[in-house]
Amino acid sequence: MSNPQQLRYSKEHEWLSNAEDGVSTVGITEHAANALGDVVYVQLPNVGDTVTAGETCGELESTKSVSDLYSPVTGEVVAANQDVVDDPALVNSAPFEGGWLFKVKVTDEPGDLLSADEYTDFAS
């Protein structure tokens, strides 16, 4: 498993891109996607929703289980990935590319996000 170095990670297994114009992209890690198994349903927050760091903002359902989606930051959702809603398998096949989940205009970022190396140690 290779976690991209430019991303930051939560202990709930979400990744967060560096903000561009205050907007960051959120997804789940390859570790989480593998643990879930084949994802068959994705419920994402809606554009305009406010998400709060560490709180549930959606759901991922796989052939194995249902898992809550947590936001790694606080802010307003500015985009949701309709491609993932239409084809949930993207979460498994491309968790760091086409399988991203939503974009958020960040208003608060917790100080406990992990670097790629810290997350690799945490997840192992």
Side-chain angles (χ1 to χ4, degrees):
M1 173 176 56
S2 177
N3 295 305
Q5 292 291 320
Q6 74 275 18
L7 302 177
R8 286 164 294 142
Y9 301 85
S10 74
K11 291 184 178 178
E12 287 81 25
H13 306 285
E14 282 81 26
W15 59 261
L16 179 74
S17 72
N18 290 324
E20 290 184 31
D21 296 325
V23 175
S24 291
T25 303
V26 175
I28 68 164
T29 65
E30 184 176 12
H31 173 82
N34 290 339
L36 275 171
D38 294 333
V39 176
V40 296
Y41 174 77
V42 177
Q43 177 193 358
L44 300 175
N46 294 311
V47 171
D49 285 355
T50 298
V51 293
T52 303
E55 293 190 8
T56 302
C57 63
E59 186 176 273
L60 301 170
E61 184 177 326
S62 73
T63 55
K64 291 182 182 180
S65 67
V66 175
S67 180
D68 287 332
L69 172 64
Y70 296 91
S71 180
V73 293
T74 298
E76 181 183 344
V77 175
V78 297
N81 188 352
Q82 187 62 43
D83 290 343
V84 167
V85 173
D86 295 340
D87 182 10
L90 285 171
V91 171
N92 298 103
S93 64
F96 296 114
E97 294 90 24
W100 63 273
L101 300 176
F102 63 95
K103 295 182 185 237
V104 59
K105 184 159 184 64
V106 178
T107 57
D108 188 42
E109 183 177 306
D112 62 352
L113 293 175
L114 306 173
S115 70
D117 293 337
E118 290 168 332
Y119 178 76
T120 299
D121 290 344
F122 171 77
S124 58

